[in-house]
Every structure is written in C-alpha cells, then in structure tokens.
Amino acid sequence: MRHGMGQPRSPFARFAVFQHRFSIRRFAVNLSLFGVSSLLAIFVLNGIVGRYLHVSDTLRQAPNARYHYEDDSFAFDVQLNSDGFREPELPVGKAFGAKRVVFLGDSMVFGWGANEPESFVRQAERSLNAGGTERFEAINLGVEGTSPIEYRDTLLSFGAQLQPDVIVLCYYTGNDAISSVPEARRDLRRPRFHQDLLRFYPSHLFSLLRTRLDVTAPPRHAMPGATTPNPLVEYLESTDPVVEYRIEAIAPAMLEKALQWRVNPYLTAGSITEPDILGALQRNSDELIRNPASRMVLEAIKAEADALEAELRVVLIPPGYTIDRGMWPGLEQMGYTVQEELLFHRGFQERMGHYCEALRVPSLDLSPVFQASKEPLYAVLDPHFTPAGNLLAGQTVAQWLLGAGPDAPAESSGEHATFQPVHLCSFDSDAEQCGWHAAGQSFETKLAGGALQLNAGGGELQLETSALTVDSSLINRVYVRMRSGAGTSAALYWGRPPGNTRSDYPFNTRHVAIAPIVSDGAFHTYVFDLPHLSSGWAGRWKALRFDPAVLHPSDEGPRSGEIAIDWMVFGQASPSTQALHPWRSIDALGWSQSDLQQRISQPGFQAVHTWNFEDGPQSWVLEGPGKLSALGGALVVESQSPVPNLRLDGIAVDGAAVNALRFTARAGRGGWGSFYWGPGPENAATDYPFANERGIEFPVMGDGVFHTYTIRLDGTGKPWAGQWSAIRLGPAFFRRDEGTMSGARIEVDEIALGYLPPAS
C-alpha cells in the first residue's frame, strides 16, 4: 500500500538517506585529507630536494653541486652544501669552545684548483690550530666568479647566522676594483621550507623538474658535464674587426685548448677585451681613487662586522703574473702583451691600504712573502694557486691572525726636509709657466694673481708642455698646489723620450699617475710619488700632460668652472724618505691628517647665527619621512628618506653680513652635502622656497666620524646676495644611483652661518 505524501518514511528509508549523506561527508573528508597530505608531501619533498640535491646545471653558487673538474692545470673534486658553499651545512649561532673565522672572497678563497682539504682556507685553519691552546673554526664563504659587492651580500646574508669572531675579507688585486655603482644588497640565502610553504610555491622541486626535463642541447663548447657556456664562443661569432684581430693573436693550439676547457677559457677570453695586462692593472688600481664604490662596499662590510661584534681583517692576494714570470709565455700565447713592469706591481694594494687605514682595519699584502718564495705558487696556465701557493697563503694568513705574521707597512712620517726641487713652475709670469698650455679648444688659460687659471667650458681639462725634460733618476716626486670646484682626481701623464720626433700621440695609461683631489674650491697641495704610483716612470721624458680635475665616467656633475694652479714643483725625495700615499698626502706640506677628504677648518670664521642643539632642535625640522630628535647636544636624524634634509624657516639672513656655512656632523653613509636658501613661503611665488638656482653641493665623508665642514656661500655662481628667511641643509646624501640614505642615522653637532675673510 502506498503512503501518502504526509506520512513519515520507514526507519529503513531514513537509514538509507543517512548512510548516503555520511558517505558523501566521508568522501569529502578523505579527499581533503588526501589533498593536505599531498601538499605536505610535496613540500617535504621540496625541502629534501633543497637540502640534499643539486638542482642547477651551472657551477656558480650552485647549491648541493657535486662534480669533478679537470684540465691541463688541475684535477679536483667539488662538493657544495645547500647554500652553495664548500662547507658542511652552515652552523647556527656562536661556535662552542672555538673562535670562528669567516673567509670572504672569490675563487682564490673558494679553492679553485684544489681539493677542499688542500684549499687556502683549510690550510689556514690547520695552521691556526697547530700547537696552540686556542681552537679555531674556519668557514669558507668563497664563491668563484664573484666581486666585492657579492662578498658584502654574502656577509649580510649569512653573518647573523654564523656569528663570527673574525671576518677575513680577501681581495684578488687583479680585478677586484668596482667600476660601477654598488647595487642594493641582495639576500643570497635560499628559500627555506617554511618560506616556500608560506609562498605556496615549492621552488626547489620546480627547479629540479625544470632542469631534469629540459632536453635542450647544451651550448656549443659548454663546460663538460654542465651547461655553463664557454665565454669564447660569443667572440668567435662576432664580426667586429677588432675582435677578429685579437682572436687571431691567440695561438691556435691555445684557442683550441680553451674551447675544450683544458685551459681557463675566462683568462683566455680576457685578452680579447683587454690584451694589455699592465694597463688593465693600472686602471683597476686607479679606479679605487676615481670611483668611491670600493670604499662604500668596504665601509658596508666594516659596518656589518661591527654590528656582529666581529673583527674585520683584509688580505690582499696578488695576481700570479706580478709574482712569477713563468706565467708570461702562456699569457702571450693567449694573446696578452706583458712587460717587465708587471713584476711587483702593487697599485691596488697601495690604494686599498688607505681605505683600511682610514677605517682602522688591519690589512695584509701577500706580495712580499710570495716574492720571496722559490716555489711555483700559481699554475702556469691558470691564475689560481698551486698546492704550494695554497699552503703558503694559508700559513701566512694564520701567522698574521695569531699576531706573528708580517708587520703592517709603517705609516708615512710626512717628512719633507729631504726633498730637493729640480723644476719649479710658479706661474708668476710667462717665463715661469714652464710651457704649460691648453691641450684643447674647450677651455682657455690665463695668468692672474700668481696662478694659472683655467676657465672650463664643459670639455676635458688637459694641460700639456714639452718645455721640460724630466729624468727619473733626478725626479721622483711632484707637488701641485691648486683649487677646483669639480672632479674627483688629478692625473699626470708623461711620454716621448728626448729625440723621439714621432707624430703619434705620446700619452697612454702605462705612463700615468693618479691622485685624488678635494673639489671644494679651496687651495690644496697634492703629491705624486711617481715610482710609488706607476711602474712606468723609469726613463727620460720630454712630453708631459696634466689633467687637473678628472670626473669619473659615472659622475654627471658640473664640467665647467674655474680651476687655479698656484704652483708645481718637480724634484727628488731622498731614498730614506718614505713615499707619501696619495690619499693621505693632501696638504702634506702644511698639515697631516689620516682622512684626506676631511675639510680644513678655515681660520677667521666669525659666527653670526649659531645652533648647538643643547636645548632641542631649535625650530629645525626634517623634510620627508623619518625622526628628528636632540640627544647629547646633537641633532639626530633617523632618516626614512633617500635624501634627508633639515629645514629652518623664519630666520633673517643678510647675504652681505654672512658668506659662509659651518657645520659639524657625522654619517655612516653618503658622499655629498647640500645647502639651499630661499625667501620663505610668505614671500615666494610658490609654497616651496628652495630651487636649484639657489643651492650648492659639496663632498662630505660618510665614515661615521665627526667632521667640520666650512663652505663659502659667495663666489659660487649662485645668487647669494640678498635677504633670506628659509634655509635647508642636507648633511649627507648620495647622488643619483650611488645609494640611499633611507635607514641611515646622521648626527649634527652644530650649525653656524657667519663671515669668512677672503682666502689669502
């Protein structure tokens, strides 16, 4: 009998419905559990792959890589950890019962050419632990093919994890100068399990699948067992006649070996872009003066070492071809030109030595120890250490770290009593001008006030003379007193021995000495210790060229303005007189100071307006994001802006009574300061009172030390005369892409506006 629509179902029917619903629910639960379990399994597998498997087919910073490399110079095995270093998995936290020493560097530190137990770092570790009661643990963070910017990033990425006691920063002096603006820091740590999980992206597993499923044939002449391309292939396919000419200069047998990776193809390819090794070394070392990037990177590494409460040490590793002439025949077969001056070239070491002295960082140049060795320390066809080189480098560094190594070079005494002038160019008259004249049409020269004045029109500033004959046996030092408002360095060139009447251009980069200058518009004395700055000084020379204010190619600053040369003197410093380092010798005739870019406090300054911040900011405000406070009598800026500026409104400044700014400040970054003035918002056509036509920029020191800067405001070409009610001071900043001040701390101890008598 059929039930009506309102009659209840039987118990069996209700049970069937319940069972059906339970089955659906159970299926959904099981499906969810399966999905979660699958995802968890994927990410666990991803973590295992990231920890234990090599997921890249290249050999640079390749986590978990395992490979054997062999060529005509070396045969060795490499095993890297999950972070791409030649170490077991990196420890976390302080070393227990040992002093931890972290080594930073490129392939020289990595130990290219040696098995890991025979590498430079392991040799140093064994020497450190030989016979002493203190135990040392060495961590090798060297990565082949890297530069100081990456050394910085490596320390910033892994320093906090490792908590080192000592950091040994190793520069390879053949190519470790930085020629570009340092990039922002990069975190080199690989994504960990929880990071991949939070991003919902199994990065290691995907990388492994992508690598293993890629059926693309490796590039032609790729590294055996990998897809690393051979750098020579690009040049072989070039139709550039210069490239073709330089490839022809490579011996065919050597080219074939390089294509087969039997000799170092990177070293061979270098002859195509830069066949003159000596010229490349000189430019590499001069770049340390012309470009502040190397100093900025060293300062960043020093700041991180200080934050980690670790001692920073610097080791300077010379190229093999400056130590052993046995490498030269192989280099010539690779297409290079070599000169006797290559031996003992130490331009990079001398220039980097200044930075270390200024930052109070101990440094060790391995050149003297290497030069005294009778063992072959470098491979004949490769720039890396032999077993003897790794052993000697490791032992020497260990002895130095223990306090028993070579002494640091003695500081210059600044003694000038033994200097004997030979030629004096005083510029009081045409007869005393020594024949110096403009070498181009972009500027003009004139004698005025006992000085040679150069009024630049925006081109290159070059003076030439052939009226002097300079003999290196009689002349080894040149002093120049001059002033300039632009430029970062000065360059003295020489060429054309007497009797040489060839019409070709006599100057080249083999015969040049570079010294830094302070472009503040004030007179300074600069010194060129010629044998100290260049290995090409020996001889007699008839042609001279002086570039008084050289701008770095990356600097877009002003190329016009007035430069005045008060005098130049060529002479001989006795052999007992120590060479003056160019960075520590500015104004050495009148005063000596360890930090050359610090401005001299000019005498006679009479303050009209003074702010000392004992009682607070005194109406100064910070433009842009950040925090401004007064602490201990100083104005403290904690900037969140790329260019922090301090502003003061409601002041009455008379341009007739005030002509100079003086302030004392310190900053851990930056290379420039600025000062702007305006009529104030109530009198201005727009709400913002500052404009480029009423402002100046000047160099400052970003070394974390207090410096006093005195800046003349008149005679700058900007309209200073008048009444001003708003001023703005930028105590430290970077230009363009040099860096950012965001996150920086700046302290301003005092600001004053006043009157400064005309310079004598």
Side-chain angles (χ1 to χ4, degrees), residues 130-170:
T133 58
E134 188 174 22
R135 195 171 73 85
F136 291 85
E137 177 191 28
I139 303 292
N140 185 348
L141 297 188
V143 178
E144 50 93 14
T146 52
S147 73
I149 296 176
E150 286 144 315
Y151 310 162
R152 174 203 65 182
D153 292 344
T154 298
L155 180 62
L156 293 173
S157 299
F158 297 97
Q161 172 184 339
L162 294 173
Q163 292 293 300
D165 299 289
V166 181
I167 298 167
V168 180
L169 173 61
C170 300

Side-chain angles (χ1 to χ4, degrees), residues 52 72 106 170 173 188 275 296 302 385 492 555 627 700 748:
Y52 298 108
D72 288 0
D106 60 4
C170 300
T173 63
L188 301 180
M296 293 162 58
K302 176 63 165 60
F385 288 144
L492 179 67
D555 194 339
K627 179 181 177 182
V700 299
V748 182

Side-chain angles (χ1 to χ4, degrees), residues 149 175-182 283-284 287 291 293-294 552-554:
I149 296 176
N175 59 12
D176 261 355
I178 303 172
S179 58
S180 60
V181 175
R283 283 187 290 277
N284 185 56
E287 193 71 14
N291 191 340
S294 294
H552 189 266
S554 65

Side-chain angles (χ1 to χ4, degrees), residues 525-726:
T525 302
Y526 306 100
V527 63
F528 295 82
D529 260 318
L530 297 168
H532 187 64
L533 295 176
S534 174
S535 57
W537 172 242
R540 298 180 71 238
W541 312 101
K542 184 68 176 176
L544 297 175
R545 188 185 107 190
F546 183 59
D547 300 356
V550 180
L551 287 169
H552 189 266
S554 65
D555 194 339
E556 299 176 4
R559 294 181 178 269
S560 61
E562 182 184 271
I563 297 173
I565 303 175
D566 192 18
W567 46 259
M568 302 175 68
V569 59
F570 296 75
Q572 185 176 57
S574 68
S576 62
T577 303
Q578 292 180 341
L580 290 174
H581 195 286
W583 285 97
R584 296 171 51 233
S585 60
I586 291 182
D587 295 302
L589 286 177
W591 59 279
S592 179
Q593 201 158 349
S594 62
D595 197 356
L596 52 95
Q597 293 256 18
Q598 179 176 348
R599 290 172 176 274
I600 307 169
S601 296
Q602 301 183 44
F605 179 85
Q606 301 171 10
V608 176
H609 307 276
T610 302
W611 301 268
N612 57 24
F613 310 114
E614 292 288 348
D615 300 319
Q618 298 189 19
S619 300
W620 287 85
V621 298
L622 177 64
E623 287 191 342
K627 179 181 177 182
L628 182 67
S629 59
L631 181 65
L635 200 60
V636 179
V637 179
E638 296 178 70
S639 172
Q640 297 302 322
S641 169
V643 183
N645 289 311
L646 296 170
R647 174 174 173 173
L648 180 65
D649 293 295
I651 181 177
V653 179
D654 185 353
V658 171
N659 69 349
L661 161 73
R662 172 173 291 180
F663 70 98
T664 301
R666 69 177 176 185
R669 310 182 207 167
W672 297 93
S674 66
F675 184 74
Y676 286 77
W677 55 91
E682 67 276 7
N683 296 323
T686 62
D687 289 338
Y688 195 69
F690 307 115
N692 289 335
E693 59 265 25
R694 293 192 303 273
I696 57 174
E697 294 182 355
F698 43 85
V700 299
M701 292 297 295
D703 58 359
V705 178
F706 273 112
H707 298 288
T708 298
Y709 305 92
T710 304
I711 314 297
R712 296 194 72 98
L713 303 175
D714 57 353
T716 64
K718 300 296 180 72
W720 171 249
Q723 302 291 323
W724 313 109
S725 58

Side-chain angles (χ1 to χ4, degrees), residues 169-396:
L169 173 61
C170 300
Y171 286 95
Y172 177 66
T173 63
N175 59 12
D176 261 355
I178 303 172
S179 58
S180 60
V181 175
E183 300 92 344
R185 75 166 274 185
R186 294 181 298 122
D187 192 343
L188 301 180
R189 293 173 298 177
R190 305 185 70 206
R192 295 313 198 245
F193 176 82
H194 68 281
Q195 294 171 320
D196 278 340
L197 190 59
L198 291 174
R199 293 188 309 159
F200 208 69
Y201 180 76
S203 59
H204 305 312
L205 189 59
F206 283 175
S207 296
L208 178 66
L209 293 174
R210 185 168 54 249
T211 301
R212 297 298 183 264
L213 296 177
D214 185 6
V215 296
T216 305
R220 189 161 58 100
H221 299 297
M223 179 183 288
T227 60
T228 305
N230 193 305
L232 283 166
V233 171
E234 177 184 354
Y235 297 115
L236 290 174
E237 296 172 350
S238 173
T239 58
D240 187 327
V242 175
V243 172
E244 293 175 343
Y245 171 77
R246 290 181 176 171
I247 289 177
E248 291 176 358
I250 303 174
M254 186 65 71
L255 180 62
E256 185 61 30
K257 287 183 178 181
L259 289 172
Q260 297 175 4
W261 295 80
R262 290 171 54 196
V263 299
N264 191 315
Y266 297 99
L267 181 62
T268 308
S271 69
I272 299 173
T273 57
E274 186 53 82
D276 180 6
I277 296 182
L278 182 63
L281 280 178
Q282 192 66 54
R283 283 187 290 277
N284 185 56
S285 54
D286 289 343
E287 193 71 14
L288 293 180
I289 290 180
R290 290 174 169 167
N291 191 340
S294 294
R295 171 177 59 82
M296 293 162 58
V297 169
L298 181 59
E299 287 173 347
I301 294 174
K302 176 63 165 60
E304 182 66 12
D306 291 343
L308 295 170
E309 298 181 347
E311 180 188 7
L312 178 63
R313 299 268 190 129
V314 168
V315 172
L316 303 169
I317 302 174
Y321 42 78
T322 66
I323 302 295
D324 184 5
R325 65 171 69 243
M327 293 185 66
W328 293 3
L331 291 172
E332 290 175 329
Q333 292 182 45
M334 292 180 183
Y336 289 100
T337 58
V338 296
Q339 302 88 25
E340 287 292 326
E341 297 93 331
L342 270 177
L343 288 178
F344 317 131
H345 186 280
R346 295 178 64 185
F348 185 104
Q349 292 92 317
E350 297 291 351
R351 288 153 173 78
M352 183 55 69
H354 160 72
Y355 291 140
C356 294
E357 291 172 13
L359 293 174
R360 296 180 176 86
V361 175
S363 63
L364 171 67
D365 178 12
L366 292 177
S367 298
V369 176
F370 281 14
Q371 290 161 3
S373 175
K374 304 300 182 183
E375 297 282 340
L377 305 178
Y378 295 83
V380 174
L381 297 176
D382 193 285
H384 295 94
F385 288 144
T386 62
N390 278 304
L391 178 61
L392 181 59
Q395 290 176 339
T396 304

